[in-house]
Protein backbone atom coordinates (compact mmCIF):
# COMPACT_ATOMS: atom_id res chain seq x y z
CA UNK A 1 0.00 0.00 0.00
CA UNK A 2 1.24 3.47 -0.91
CA UNK A 3 2.58 5.34 2.12
CA UNK A 4 0.23 8.26 1.64
CA UNK A 5 -2.82 5.98 1.84
CA UNK A 6 -1.62 4.67 5.22
CA UNK A 7 -1.33 8.28 6.37
CA UNK A 8 -4.84 8.99 5.05
CA UNK A 9 -6.12 5.96 7.00
CA UNK A 10 -4.57 7.44 10.15
CA UNK A 11 -6.42 10.70 9.52
CA UNK A 12 -9.69 8.78 9.12
CA UNK A 13 -9.06 6.96 12.41
CA UNK A 14 -8.68 10.25 14.27
CA UNK A 15 -11.83 11.75 12.78
CA UNK A 16 -14.00 8.67 13.37
CA UNK A 17 -12.96 8.74 17.04
CA UNK A 18 -13.77 12.43 17.36
CA UNK A 19 -16.97 12.19 15.31
CA UNK A 20 -18.52 10.04 18.01
CA UNK A 21 -19.46 13.35 19.67
CA UNK A 22 -22.30 13.55 17.11
CA UNK A 23 -23.83 10.51 18.82
CA UNK A 24 -24.56 12.59 21.93
CA UNK A 25 -28.30 12.20 21.35
CA UNK A 26 -28.09 8.61 22.69
CA UNK A 27 -27.08 10.10 26.07
CA UNK A 28 -29.96 12.57 26.31
CA UNK A 29 -32.73 10.29 27.60
CA UNK A 30 -30.42 8.36 29.96
CA UNK A 31 -29.27 11.71 31.41
CA UNK A 32 -32.87 12.83 31.84
CA UNK A 33 -33.84 9.56 33.52
CA UNK A 34 -30.75 9.24 35.74
CA UNK A 35 -30.23 12.84 36.84
CA UNK A 36 -33.64 14.45 36.38
CA UNK A 37 -32.40 16.84 33.70
CA UNK A 38 -34.78 18.40 31.18
CA UNK A 39 -34.22 18.14 27.43
CA UNK A 40 -32.41 21.46 27.19
CA UNK A 41 -30.00 20.57 29.99
CA UNK A 42 -29.32 17.14 28.47
CA UNK A 43 -28.51 18.66 25.07
CA UNK A 44 -26.42 21.57 26.34
CA UNK A 45 -23.09 19.67 26.79
CA UNK A 46 -23.11 18.77 23.09
CA UNK A 47 -23.80 22.34 21.97
CA UNK A 48 -21.07 23.71 24.22
CA UNK A 49 -18.57 21.07 23.07
CA UNK A 50 -19.21 22.00 19.42
CA UNK A 51 -18.84 25.69 20.29
CA UNK A 52 -15.46 25.02 21.94
CA UNK A 53 -14.50 22.86 18.95
CA UNK A 54 -15.03 25.72 16.53
CA UNK A 55 -13.37 28.36 18.67
CA UNK A 56 -10.39 26.21 19.64
CA UNK A 57 -9.78 25.23 16.02
CA UNK A 58 -8.98 28.87 15.29
CA UNK A 59 -6.17 28.72 17.86
CA UNK A 60 -4.97 25.15 17.40
CA UNK A 61 -4.66 25.48 13.63
CA UNK A 62 -1.50 27.54 14.24
CA UNK A 63 -0.17 24.84 16.57
CA UNK A 64 -0.64 22.26 13.79
CA UNK A 65 1.34 24.47 11.39
CA UNK A 66 4.18 25.05 13.85
CA UNK A 67 4.53 21.64 15.53
CA UNK A 68 3.29 19.27 12.82
CA UNK A 69 0.38 16.82 12.56
CA UNK A 70 1.86 14.06 14.71
CA UNK A 71 2.30 16.37 17.71
CA UNK A 72 -1.19 17.83 17.37
CA UNK A 73 -2.64 14.35 16.85
CA UNK A 74 -1.12 13.15 20.13
CA UNK A 75 -2.29 16.35 21.84
CA UNK A 76 -5.84 15.84 20.56
CA UNK A 77 -5.71 12.23 21.77
CA UNK A 78 -4.79 13.29 25.29
CA UNK A 79 -7.38 16.06 25.47
CA UNK A 80 -10.24 13.95 24.11
CA UNK A 81 -9.29 11.00 26.31
CA UNK A 82 -9.12 13.15 29.45
CA UNK A 83 -12.41 14.81 28.52
CA UNK A 84 -14.19 11.46 28.22
CA UNK A 85 -12.54 10.07 31.34
CA UNK A 86 -13.56 13.17 33.30
CA UNK A 87 -17.12 12.83 32.01
CA UNK A 88 -17.11 9.26 33.33
CA UNK A 89 -16.01 10.41 36.78
CA UNK A 90 -18.61 13.20 36.78
CA UNK A 91 -21.45 10.77 35.96
CA UNK A 92 -20.34 7.99 38.29
CA UNK A 93 -22.89 8.92 40.96
CA UNK A 94 -20.30 9.85 43.58
CA UNK A 95 -20.97 13.59 43.35
CA UNK A 96 -23.92 15.97 43.57
CA UNK A 97 -25.97 17.08 40.58
CA UNK A 98 -24.44 20.57 40.64
CA UNK A 99 -20.94 19.11 40.68
CA UNK A 100 -21.97 16.81 37.84
CA UNK A 101 -22.84 19.82 35.69
CA UNK A 102 -19.54 21.49 36.55
CA UNK A 103 -17.61 18.29 35.83
CA UNK A 104 -19.19 17.87 32.40
CA UNK A 105 -18.60 21.53 31.60
CA UNK A 106 -14.94 21.34 32.60
CA UNK A 107 -14.01 17.96 31.16
CA UNK A 108 -16.36 17.05 28.31
CA UNK A 109 -17.16 20.54 27.00
CA UNK A 110 -13.92 22.42 27.66
CA UNK A 111 -11.07 19.85 27.69
CA UNK A 112 -12.82 17.46 25.31
CA UNK A 113 -13.93 20.34 23.09
CA UNK A 114 -10.32 21.51 22.75
CA UNK A 115 -9.41 17.96 21.80
CA UNK A 116 -12.14 17.96 19.16
CA UNK A 117 -10.95 21.25 17.67
CA UNK A 118 -7.28 20.21 17.69
CA UNK A 119 -7.95 16.83 16.13
CA UNK A 120 -10.36 18.19 13.52
CA UNK A 121 -7.78 20.50 11.93
CA UNK A 122 -4.80 18.15 12.43
CA UNK A 123 -4.80 16.22 9.12
CA UNK A 124 -6.03 18.93 6.73
CA UNK A 125 -2.84 20.66 5.61
CA UNK A 126 -0.87 17.39 5.76
CA UNK A 127 -3.25 15.51 3.46
CA UNK A 128 -3.32 18.32 0.92
CA UNK A 129 0.48 18.10 0.72
CA UNK A 130 0.37 14.29 0.30
CA UNK A 131 -2.42 14.52 -2.31
CA UNK A 132 -1.70 17.60 -4.43
CA UNK A 133 -3.42 15.80 -7.30
CA UNK A 134 -6.59 15.00 -5.31
CA UNK A 135 -7.09 17.72 -2.72
CA UNK A 136 -10.83 17.22 -2.45
CA UNK A 137 -10.62 13.44 -2.20
CA UNK A 138 -7.90 13.56 0.45
CA UNK A 139 -9.60 16.00 2.82
CA UNK A 140 -12.97 14.40 2.07
CA UNK A 141 -11.68 11.04 3.27
CA UNK A 142 -10.64 12.37 6.65
CA UNK A 143 -13.64 14.59 7.27
CA UNK A 144 -15.90 11.76 6.08
CA UNK A 145 -14.72 9.95 9.21
CA UNK A 146 -16.14 12.70 11.39
CA UNK A 147 -19.51 12.32 9.71
CA UNK A 148 -19.48 8.55 10.10
CA UNK A 149 -18.49 8.77 13.79
CA UNK A 150 -22.10 9.02 14.95
CA UNK A 151 -23.38 6.45 12.46
CA UNK A 152 -20.86 3.87 13.65
CA UNK A 153 -20.67 4.87 17.30
CA UNK A 154 -24.34 5.62 18.00
CA UNK A 155 -25.64 2.03 18.07
CA UNK A 156 -22.62 0.79 20.05
CA UNK A 157 -22.88 3.56 22.63
CA UNK A 158 -26.60 2.97 22.98
CA UNK A 159 -26.00 -0.71 23.72
CA UNK A 160 -23.24 0.11 26.19
CA UNK A 161 -25.38 2.61 28.10
CA UNK A 162 -28.11 0.02 28.43
CA UNK A 163 -25.75 -2.70 29.61
CA UNK A 164 -23.05 -1.00 31.71
CA UNK A 165 -24.45 2.49 32.39
CA UNK A 166 -23.49 6.05 31.50
CA UNK A 167 -20.24 6.36 33.46
CA UNK A 168 -18.77 3.05 32.27
CA UNK A 169 -19.67 3.97 28.70
CA UNK A 170 -17.62 7.16 29.00
CA UNK A 171 -14.71 5.17 30.49
CA UNK A 172 -14.84 2.61 27.67
CA UNK A 173 -14.95 5.40 25.09
CA UNK A 174 -11.91 7.03 26.68
CA UNK A 175 -9.89 3.79 26.55
CA UNK A 176 -10.90 2.67 23.06
CA UNK A 177 -10.69 6.06 21.35
CA UNK A 178 -7.36 6.84 23.00
CA UNK A 179 -5.92 3.59 21.65
CA UNK A 180 -7.28 4.22 18.13
CA UNK A 181 -6.08 7.82 18.07
CA UNK A 182 -2.61 7.00 19.40
CA UNK A 183 -2.12 4.44 16.65
CA UNK A 184 -3.57 6.78 14.04
CA UNK A 185 -1.47 9.77 15.17
CA UNK A 186 1.70 7.68 14.94
CA UNK A 187 1.00 7.28 11.21
CA UNK A 188 0.90 11.02 10.55
CA UNK A 189 3.82 12.85 9.00
CA UNK A 190 4.47 15.55 6.43
CA UNK A 191 5.89 14.71 2.99
CA UNK A 192 9.35 15.94 1.96
CA UNK A 193 9.42 19.48 0.55
CA UNK A 194 8.10 19.72 -3.04
CA UNK A 195 7.05 16.05 -2.92
CA UNK A 196 4.92 14.82 -5.84
CA UNK A 197 3.18 11.44 -6.44
CA UNK A 198 5.51 9.04 -8.23
CA UNK A 199 2.98 7.62 -10.68
CA UNK A 200 0.35 10.32 -10.81
CA UNK A 201 1.11 13.69 -12.32
CA UNK A 202 -0.66 16.75 -11.01
CA UNK A 203 -2.90 17.93 -13.83
CA UNK A 204 -2.53 21.58 -14.70
CA UNK A 205 -5.72 23.59 -14.32
CA UNK A 206 -7.05 27.07 -13.78
CA UNK A 207 -6.18 27.04 -10.07
CA UNK A 208 -2.40 27.38 -9.48
CA UNK A 209 -0.88 24.79 -7.16
CA UNK A 210 0.25 27.56 -4.81
CA UNK A 211 -3.25 29.09 -4.69
CA UNK A 212 -4.86 32.07 -6.37
CA UNK A 213 -3.78 34.46 -3.61
CA UNK A 214 -1.02 32.81 -1.53
CA UNK A 215 -0.90 34.33 1.95
CA UNK A 216 -0.68 33.60 5.65
CA UNK A 217 -3.67 33.01 7.91
CA UNK A 218 -3.50 36.46 9.47
CA UNK A 219 -3.45 38.04 6.01
CA UNK A 220 -6.24 35.82 4.73
CA UNK A 221 -8.77 36.84 7.41
CA UNK A 222 -8.74 40.39 6.04
CA UNK A 223 -9.81 39.39 2.53
CA UNK A 224 -13.22 39.27 0.84
CA UNK A 225 -12.76 35.60 0.02
CA UNK A 226 -12.33 34.68 3.66
CA UNK A 227 -15.49 36.58 4.57
CA UNK A 228 -17.30 34.80 1.73
CA UNK A 229 -16.17 31.38 2.94
CA UNK A 230 -17.16 32.21 6.52
CA UNK A 231 -20.65 33.37 5.52
CA UNK A 232 -21.23 30.35 3.27
CA UNK A 233 -20.22 27.95 6.01
CA UNK A 234 -22.24 29.75 8.69
CA UNK A 235 -25.42 29.64 6.59
CA UNK A 236 -24.90 26.06 5.41
CA UNK A 237 -24.24 24.78 8.94
CA UNK A 238 -27.04 26.82 10.55
CA UNK A 239 -29.62 25.50 8.09
CA UNK A 240 -28.29 21.93 8.32
CA UNK A 241 -28.24 21.82 12.12
CA UNK A 242 -31.69 23.40 12.27
CA UNK A 243 -33.06 20.71 9.97
CA UNK A 244 -31.36 17.92 11.92
CA UNK A 245 -32.89 19.23 15.14
CA UNK A 246 -36.45 18.97 13.74
CA UNK A 247 -36.05 16.07 11.31
CA UNK A 248 -38.10 13.57 13.28
CA UNK A 249 -41.17 15.74 14.09
CA UNK A 250 -41.06 17.32 10.61
CA UNK A 251 -41.12 13.89 8.96
CA UNK A 252 -44.04 12.79 11.13
CA UNK A 253 -46.04 15.96 10.44
CA UNK A 254 -45.37 16.09 6.70
CA UNK A 255 -45.74 12.40 5.80
CA UNK A 256 -47.65 10.91 8.72
CA UNK A 257 -45.02 8.24 9.46
CA UNK A 258 -44.64 6.83 12.95
CA UNK A 259 -42.12 8.04 15.53
CA UNK A 260 -40.21 4.77 15.13
CA UNK A 261 -39.93 5.21 11.34
CA UNK A 262 -38.88 8.83 11.83
CA UNK A 263 -36.18 7.64 14.25
CA UNK A 264 -34.82 5.31 11.59
CA UNK A 265 -34.70 8.23 9.17
CA UNK A 266 -32.66 10.21 11.69
CA UNK A 267 -30.18 7.32 11.74
CA UNK A 268 -29.85 7.57 7.96
CA UNK A 269 -28.96 11.24 8.32
CA UNK A 270 -25.61 10.25 9.87
CA UNK A 271 -24.88 7.87 7.00
CA UNK A 272 -25.65 10.39 4.25
CA UNK A 273 -23.82 13.13 6.14
CA UNK A 274 -20.71 10.94 5.90
CA UNK A 275 -21.30 9.79 2.30
CA UNK A 276 -21.85 13.39 1.20
CA UNK A 277 -18.48 14.38 2.61
CA UNK A 278 -16.49 12.00 0.43
CA UNK A 279 -18.77 12.23 -2.64
CA UNK A 280 -18.96 16.00 -2.91
CA UNK A 281 -15.29 16.52 -2.02
CA UNK A 282 -14.24 14.04 -4.73
CA UNK A 283 -16.64 15.62 -7.23
CA UNK A 284 -15.15 19.04 -6.47
CA UNK A 285 -11.81 17.79 -7.88
CA UNK A 286 -13.60 17.49 -11.23
CA UNK A 287 -15.86 20.55 -11.39
CA UNK A 288 -13.95 22.87 -9.06
CA UNK A 289 -14.73 24.10 -5.58
CA UNK A 290 -16.55 27.34 -6.56
CA UNK A 291 -18.98 25.42 -8.77
CA UNK A 292 -19.52 22.83 -6.03
CA UNK A 293 -20.64 25.45 -3.52
CA UNK A 294 -22.93 27.08 -6.08
CA UNK A 295 -24.58 23.69 -6.63
CA UNK A 296 -24.86 23.15 -2.84
CA UNK A 297 -26.95 26.26 -2.34
CA UNK A 298 -28.99 26.02 -5.55
CA UNK A 299 -30.06 22.50 -4.64
CA UNK A 300 -30.84 23.39 -1.04
CA UNK A 301 -32.98 26.41 -1.94
CA UNK A 302 -35.32 24.13 -3.89
CA UNK A 303 -35.09 21.32 -1.33
CA UNK A 304 -35.86 23.47 1.74
CA UNK A 305 -38.76 25.12 -0.09
CA UNK A 306 -40.35 21.81 -1.07
CA UNK A 307 -39.60 19.69 1.99
CA UNK A 308 -42.51 20.63 4.32
CA UNK A 309 -45.07 20.03 1.55
CA UNK A 310 -43.80 16.60 0.47
CA UNK A 311 -46.30 13.99 1.68
CA UNK A 312 -44.86 10.97 -0.14
CA UNK A 313 -42.52 9.23 2.29
CA UNK A 314 -39.81 8.16 -0.17
CA UNK A 315 -39.73 11.56 -1.88
CA UNK A 316 -39.52 13.34 1.49
CA UNK A 317 -36.67 11.08 2.60
CA UNK A 318 -34.79 11.54 -0.69
CA UNK A 319 -34.94 15.35 -0.46
CA UNK A 320 -34.00 15.36 3.23
CA UNK A 321 -31.00 13.10 2.68
CA UNK A 322 -29.91 15.16 -0.34
CA UNK A 323 -29.76 18.18 1.97
CA UNK A 324 -27.67 16.14 4.42
CA UNK A 325 -25.12 15.34 1.71
CA UNK A 326 -24.77 19.07 1.03
CA UNK A 327 -24.41 19.74 4.75
CA UNK A 328 -21.58 17.20 5.06
CA UNK A 329 -20.07 18.16 1.71
CA UNK A 330 -19.70 21.76 2.82
CA UNK A 331 -17.34 20.63 5.60
CA UNK A 332 -15.25 18.29 3.47
CA UNK A 333 -14.87 20.60 0.46
CA UNK A 334 -13.86 23.60 2.57
CA UNK A 335 -10.16 22.74 3.20
CA UNK A 336 -9.48 22.18 -0.50
CA UNK A 337 -11.29 25.45 -1.33
CA UNK A 338 -9.08 27.25 1.18
CA UNK A 339 -6.01 25.69 -0.45
CA UNK A 340 -7.20 26.74 -3.91
CA UNK A 341 -7.54 30.34 -2.78
CA UNK A 342 -4.79 30.91 -0.22
CA UNK A 343 -2.34 28.05 -0.93
CA UNK A 344 -1.35 25.20 1.36
CA UNK A 345 1.18 27.13 3.45
CA UNK A 346 -1.18 27.71 6.41
CA UNK A 347 -4.30 25.78 5.48
CA UNK A 348 -4.82 24.41 8.98
CA UNK A 349 -4.70 27.86 10.56
CA UNK A 350 -7.06 29.40 7.99
CA UNK A 351 -9.34 26.37 8.28
CA UNK A 352 -9.46 26.90 12.01
CA UNK A 353 -10.46 30.54 11.57
CA UNK A 354 -13.31 29.62 9.21
CA UNK A 355 -14.54 26.97 11.67
CA UNK A 356 -15.53 29.73 14.09
CA UNK A 357 -18.59 29.83 11.84
CA UNK A 358 -19.33 26.29 13.02
CA UNK A 359 -19.03 27.37 16.65
CA UNK A 360 -21.61 30.12 16.21
CA UNK A 361 -23.89 28.09 13.94
CA UNK A 362 -23.88 25.23 16.43
CA UNK A 363 -25.48 27.51 18.99
CA UNK A 364 -27.75 29.39 16.57
CA UNK A 365 -29.10 26.57 14.38
CA UNK A 366 -31.23 24.54 16.76
CA UNK A 367 -32.23 27.63 18.80
CA UNK A 368 -33.46 29.53 15.74
CA UNK A 369 -35.42 26.53 14.48
CA UNK A 370 -37.15 26.18 17.85
CA UNK A 371 -38.00 29.90 18.03
CA UNK A 372 -39.30 30.02 14.46
CA UNK A 373 -41.42 26.93 14.97
CA UNK A 374 -42.78 28.32 18.22
CA UNK A 375 -43.57 31.78 16.84
CA UNK A 376 -45.05 30.68 13.50
CA UNK A 377 -46.51 27.31 14.46
CA UNK A 378 -45.45 26.02 11.06
CA UNK A 379 -42.47 24.13 9.70
CA UNK A 380 -43.23 25.57 6.28
CA UNK A 381 -42.75 29.14 7.47
CA UNK A 382 -39.56 28.11 9.25
CA UNK A 383 -38.13 26.52 6.10
CA UNK A 384 -38.96 29.59 4.00
CA UNK A 385 -36.82 31.71 6.33
CA UNK A 386 -33.91 29.36 5.71
CA UNK A 387 -34.54 29.55 1.96
CA UNK A 388 -33.78 33.27 2.09
CA UNK A 389 -30.60 32.57 4.00
CA UNK A 390 -29.54 30.00 1.42
CA UNK A 391 -30.32 32.50 -1.35
CA UNK A 392 -27.86 34.90 0.27
CA UNK A 393 -25.28 32.10 0.44
CA UNK A 394 -25.84 31.40 -3.28
CA UNK A 395 -25.18 35.04 -4.12
CA UNK A 396 -22.01 34.98 -2.01
CA UNK A 397 -20.81 31.77 -3.70
CA UNK A 398 -21.32 33.26 -7.17
CA UNK A 399 -19.62 36.51 -6.17
CA UNK A 400 -16.66 34.57 -4.72
CA UNK A 401 -16.25 32.63 -7.96
CA UNK A 402 -16.36 35.82 -10.06
CA UNK A 403 -13.81 37.48 -7.78
CA UNK A 404 -11.44 34.52 -8.10
CA UNK A 405 -11.79 34.57 -11.88
CA UNK A 406 -10.82 38.25 -11.91
CA UNK A 407 -7.76 37.44 -9.80
CA UNK A 408 -6.75 34.77 -12.30
CA UNK A 409 -7.37 37.03 -15.28
CA UNK A 410 -6.44 40.61 -14.37
CA UNK A 411 -7.23 41.70 -17.92
CA UNK A 412 -10.89 40.79 -17.33
CA UNK A 413 -11.27 43.91 -15.20
CA UNK A 414 -10.90 46.11 -18.29
Amino acid sequence: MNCRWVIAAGAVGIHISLGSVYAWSVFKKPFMDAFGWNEFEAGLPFGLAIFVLGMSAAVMGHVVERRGPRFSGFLATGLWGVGLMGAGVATSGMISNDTLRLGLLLFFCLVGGFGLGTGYVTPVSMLMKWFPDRRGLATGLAIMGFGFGAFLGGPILSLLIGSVGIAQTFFLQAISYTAIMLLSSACLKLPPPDWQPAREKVKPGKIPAQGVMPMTANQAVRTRCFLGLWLMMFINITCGIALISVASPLAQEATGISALAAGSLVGMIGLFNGLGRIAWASFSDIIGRPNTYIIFFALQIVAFWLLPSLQHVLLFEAVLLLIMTCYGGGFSTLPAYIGDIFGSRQVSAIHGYVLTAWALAGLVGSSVSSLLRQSTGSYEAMMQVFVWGLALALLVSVATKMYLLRQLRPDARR
Side-chain angles (χ1 to χ4, degrees):
M1 181 183 289
N2 196 317
C3 176
R4 63 177 181 163
W5 290 104
V6 175
I7 294 169
V12 172
I14 290 175
H15 269 236
I16 285 180
S17 301
L18 299 175
S20 62
V21 70
Y22 265 161
W24 178 262
S25 61
V26 303
F27 285 97
K28 289 184 71 174
K29 191 174 186 305
F31 264 81
M32 294 165 69
D33 294 339
F35 308 114
W37 289 14
N38 59 37
E39 187 167 348
F40 175 78
E41 289 175 320
L44 189 59
F46 169 74
L48 291 176
I50 295 298
F51 177 78
V52 175
L53 184 164
M55 299 307 294
S56 63
V59 177
M60 302 311 292
H62 285 284
V63 175
V64 176
E65 299 291 356
R66 290 196 300 267
R67 302 297 300 271
R70 185 173 295 174
F71 172 86
S72 59
F74 286 138
L75 179 60
T77 301
L79 291 170
W80 185 226
V82 169
L84 290 172
M85 191 68 70
V89 173
T91 56
S92 62
M94 298 182 294
I95 56 179
S96 67
N97 209 3
D98 289 338
T99 309
L100 163 61
R101 291 184 173 89
L102 180 61
L104 280 176
L105 176 64
L106 176 62
F107 287 100
F108 185 83
C109 301
L110 187 58
V111 178
F114 260 92
L116 291 170
T118 304
Y120 193 90
V121 297
T122 286
V124 171
S125 178
M126 173 199 70
L127 285 178
M128 291 178 62
K129 291 180 173 68
W130 277 111
F131 290 82
D133 50 334
R134 301 180 185 180
R135 284 181 176 179
L137 171 65
T139 56
L141 274 173
I143 296 176
M144 171 194 70
F146 203 91
F148 275 141
F151 176 72
L152 297 174
I156 297 174
L157 294 177
S158 183
L159 289 173
L160 286 173
I161 292 171
S163 59
V164 301
I166 296 173
Q168 291 300 321
T169 299
F170 278 123
F171 290 140
L172 290 172
Q173 280 191 95
I175 295 169
S176 58
Y177 289 142
T178 296
I180 294 171
M181 291 178 68
L182 283 174
L183 180 61
S184 299
S185 298
C187 297
L188 305 184
K189 64 178 181 179
L190 291 169
D194 301 320
W195 179 88
Q196 293 291 339
R199 298 181 181 179
E200 300 176 72
K201 297 179 65 177
V202 180
K203 296 180 180 179
K206 293 183 178 180
I207 302 296
Q210 72 276 16
V212 177
M213 304 181 297
M215 58 183 65
T216 66
N218 290 336
Q219 292 171 331
V221 295
R222 296 193 291 268
T223 65
R224 298 177 186 177
C225 285
F226 178 88
L227 177 60
L229 289 176
W230 196 98
L231 283 172
M232 286 189 286
M233 288 303 297
F234 175 75
I235 293 172
N236 195 55
I237 298 168
T238 298
C239 294
I241 287 178
L243 182 56
I244 291 172
S245 69
V246 300
S248 178
L250 173 61
Q252 293 175 63
E253 181 176 302
T255 66
I257 62 176
S258 67
L260 180 61
S264 299
L265 176 60
V266 171
M268 293 297 293
I269 286 175
L271 175 62
F272 277 79
N273 183 0
L275 291 175
R277 293 174 187 238
I278 183 63
W280 282 111
S282 300
F283 191 46
S284 74
D285 284 332
I286 301 173
I287 67 171
R289 258 63 71 173
N291 290 333
T292 303
Y293 273 81
I294 290 172
I295 293 173
F296 282 159
F297 298 121
L299 285 175
Q300 288 185 91
I301 287 172
V302 177
F304 269 85
W305 185 272
L306 292 176
L307 194 62
S309 62
L310 296 177
Q311 298 180 355
H312 192 282
V313 176
L314 291 180
L315 186 57
F316 179 92
E317 291 178 349
V319 173
L320 173 64
L321 295 176
L322 173 64
I323 293 173
M324 286 301 101
T325 68
C326 295
Y327 172 73
F331 284 107
S332 61
T333 310
L334 174 64
Y337 203 172
I338 292 171
D340 290 346
I341 299 173
F342 302 114
S344 59
R345 178 182 172 189
Q346 290 195 343
V347 167
S348 293
I350 300 172
H351 188 208
Y353 285 155
V354 179
L355 288 181
T356 57
W358 189 6
L360 186 59
L363 293 179
V364 170
S366 59
S367 301
V368 168
S369 65
S370 299
L371 291 173
L372 288 173
R373 167 64 174 172
Q374 183 176 337
S375 61
T376 65
S378 167
Y379 285 117
E380 185 173 359
M382 183 185 76
M383 293 300 176
Q384 289 174 2
V385 172
F386 289 126
V387 165
W388 286 107
L390 290 164
L392 173 61
L394 177 61
L395 291 176
V396 172
S397 64
V398 172
T400 301
K401 177 181 177 179
M402 299 305 296
Y403 181 79
L404 291 174
L405 288 176
R406 288 197 298 271
Q407 296 301 311
L408 287 168
R409 295 180 298 164
D411 59 307
R413 300 175 185 174
R414 301 174 184 173

